Amino acid sequence: MYSGSISCIDGAPGGPSVLAAPAAPASEMSLNPSVTGVDAAAAAAAAVIRAVPEEAHYLLLPEIVNGVTDSVTAAERAAAAALCAVFAKEAPCFDAKDDVPQIIDVLFELFIDPDEA
């Protein structure tokens, strides 16, 4: 199994890294039959969040928050809400002062909305 780093350059020689993250641990990428699709999806989401460079933070959090409010099904909203927790735990760019209020606002709106399943 590959255990190196994933790197992708923006095309310019010596340019900034667009994607640079350590490969997920073998336990996250396991082909073990006991790992469910949900576990695999959560591990993949965590790997993507860890891979987003800090300078792209302003793009990442709004996408996650919009997933909570814009998703069609309850399962999609639940997955997006869970992704908020993954973002808070895994994102190298997480800033509690700025990010927590946004996450709390969107989750609170979801929890008090009587129309949301």
Side-chain angles (χ1 to χ4, degrees):
M1 173 172 276
Y2 178 74
S3 63
S5 293
I6 301 170
S7 295
C8 185
I9 304 300
D10 67 350
S17 174
V18 173
L19 176 64
S27 61
E28 289 182 23
M29 303 291 285
S30 175
L31 295 178
N32 183 340
S34 67
V35 174
T36 67
V38 173
D39 293 336
V48 169
I49 286 174
R50 284 191 305 267
V52 173
E54 288 191 39
E55 58 271 8
H57 173 259
Y58 72 98
L59 297 171
L60 181 60
L61 186 57
E63 288 299 319
I64 293 171
V65 168
N66 287 340
V68 176
T69 58
D70 295 345
S71 297
V72 176
T73 68
E76 290 171 346
R77 289 188 297 276
L83 192 55
C84 289
V86 173
F87 178 83
K89 287 181 4 183
E90 300 282 345
C93 56
F94 178 72
D95 178 6
K97 181 182 172 190
D98 293 331
D99 300 339
V100 168
Q102 291 180 62
I103 293 170
I104 289 174
D105 285 347
V106 73
L107 293 176
F108 188 74
E109 288 175 24
L110 180 66
F111 294 146
I112 64 169
D113 190 343
D115 295 331
E116 298 294 336

